[in-house]
Amino acid sequence: MPTYKETHRRSLADRDAFWREQAALVDWHAPFERVLDYARPPFSRWFVGGRTNLCHNAIDRHLATRGDQAALVYLSTETDESRRYTFRELHAEVNRFAGVLKELGVGRGDRVLIYMPMIPEAAFAMLACVRVGAIHSVVFGGFAAASLATRIDDARPKAMVTADAGMRGGKPVPYKHLVDESLRLAKYPPAAVVIVDRRLDRDMPRVAGRDLDYAALRAQHMDARVPCEWLESSEPSYILYTSGTTGKPKGVQRDTGGYAVALASSMRSIFCVQPGETMFTTSDIGWVVGHSYIIYAPLINGSTTIMYEGLPIRPDPAIWWRIVEEHRVRTMFSSPTAIRVLKKQDPAFMRKHDLSSLEYLFLAGEPLDEPTARWASESLGVAIVDNYWQTETGWPILSAQPGIEQTPRKFGSPSFPVVGYDVRLLHEATGEEVGANEKGVLTIAPPLPPGCMTTVWGDDERFVRTYFSTFRDKPFYSTFDWATRDDDGYYFVLGRTDDVINVAGHRLGTREIEEAVQAHPGVAEVAVVGVADQVKGQVPVAFAVVKDPARVATPQDAAAMRKEVMDTVDRQLGAIARPGQVHFVTLLPKTRSGKLLRRSIQALAEGRDPGDLTTIEDPGALEQIRAALAAR
Ligand code: AMP
């Protein structure tokens, strides 16, 4: 067996041969002519000329060999439902949904926006889209109407798919109401909204002619057989929006063939799940981890995937481990925040169930601190694999790859570059590679491997400017993360180089939250910083200047204003972005050229030294921040 080092080296030095071999893991309707076209850097086109379809690879091709095997197991501790779909049953459901989409005139290249709770119909909708060649854009259910409207106007979907409501902690969370509001705000609302009615929201409004009931439509398409649209490998499969340093989210565009190959490859080399075995990923379909490792990768691999609606601690903190025992889960994928939540519970819950089937617990989305990793490893007795990646890449950049070689893991490190990734740590100013144990910007020397974003939806120029323009004369892809590499080659991710924060594994732009706070008419100016939090990793904290100081003159007034600001953020972005604290000041610390000193504010909020203040316009502003924090 070749070692990890040899395999990684070969994946870069003999790229075409390596990826040609990996491409055999998926079905091609027409073979590709070339492995890679890199004639127009930094845009890469993988498996040029090959024709394939994600839905065919996820479902149809397994029908002959594993039609009666469970493909998707749905478990909800919110509604106490469980449903199991074999590959054959999933095929039938996806064809029905595809029949509905066809009836609505949705076809190749059309966009469909999916705003859904964690129910199987969300998976059917995604798979039906890619089946007919349409491009889905799933928006996480926690985002508010205004955020949804921004995404609608950017993607301009022909149709939307939603449900009456989701459920969280036993309480219904309205979805359709919010969709209606977003459609009032949007400039380019779609003509059709398909609604999966779970009968959780009796007051769900309906707009005649636009709103369509999925159950009724499905009944008309019970025997639908919709052929897969054979897409050229580079044609888009989906758009997934993600936050950056500007207020406007970027539509990460993914291809078809490269994504299928990368995911199939990762199931073997990283996640070690065999066809027929079960994977349980606790993320949400609204995030990239959900796209890749709840839906596409396990199904493409012929594995069973578990889709879970509910919290990790309801009905009790043993629920995930009960699922592992009952479904003989082999590989689990979750987030450090979820494990920190469990760590606060009675440890007996971790040992209540037979976990003998479980080999690996993969954790990603945010830094995995050493105590949490150690605790999880000791209480579960399984291998904990920290893996590092981004919405943009679609699959891990750094990870141990036990399917290639069982390398020892170090707590606090996501180990090594994944095959296909030419990772380099560059000095921020000079762009030269840094030495061992020196801090650098984590970059990827292009071409990006298969599966990574191909461009920003509708904006090639933004793709190049955002990701490939950090270093002069060196057009490397920047992750905007700091990292070091130790003497043994292990990487350590140290945090973002930009103003993006990570709340419970979810990326949020501080600029985006500032814009949401400023939507309150009483706010003149605001600075939002991410402050370290024991459970969520970071939480946003806002320092706002109000237009009329009388609004915050008494503690009661200030409390009322604070609530208004938080409600405004809920309405604009969603509760996930709500600041943990809102402080009122009359001045914000800025440089003489007017740039916000976010790092200094953040340092003070975390009880650290504010650093170099020689460029500050008015030191009194920092005093106000100090006083506001002390008064808490
Ligand atoms: P997202 O695209 O929302 O998944 O966020 C990606 C960002 O989350 C990365 O750029 C990192 O800042 C952070 N991140 C993801 N995984 C890890 C990890 N294993 N260790 C440290 N940071 C991580």
Side-chain angles (χ1 to χ4, degrees), residues 240-243 252 287-289 336 363-369 385-394 397-398 412-414 477 479-482 492-498 500-502 505-508:
L240 184 55
Y241 286 90
T242 188
S243 298
V252 167
W287 306 117
V288 69
V289 176
L363 298 172
E366 54 182 312
L368 173 61
D369 54 289
V385 188
D386 182 359
N387 59 120
Y388 160 88
W389 47 298
Q390 310 181 300
T391 305
E392 287 84 347
T393 64
I397 303 169
L398 298 174
S413 163
Y477 170 89
T479 61
F480 299 99
D481 282 303
W482 294 113
F492 293 81
V493 180
L494 308 173
R496 299 281 304 190
T497 65
D498 57 10
V500 167
I501 63 173
N502 194 316
H506 306 318
R507 195 203 299 194
L508 295 167

Side-chain angles (χ1 to χ4, degrees), residues 234-254:
S234 298
E235 282 184 67
S237 55
Y238 69 75
I239 309 166
L240 184 55
Y241 286 90
T242 188
S243 298
T245 43
T246 66
K248 189 173 180 277
K250 289 181 287 284
V252 167
Q253 179 176 321
R254 194 92 60 213

Side-chain angles (χ1 to χ4, degrees), residues 590-596 615-617:
K590 290 186 185 163
T591 62
R592 279 188 277 276
S593 54
K595 217 171 161 286
L596 259 179
T615 60
I616 196 166
E617 167 83 28

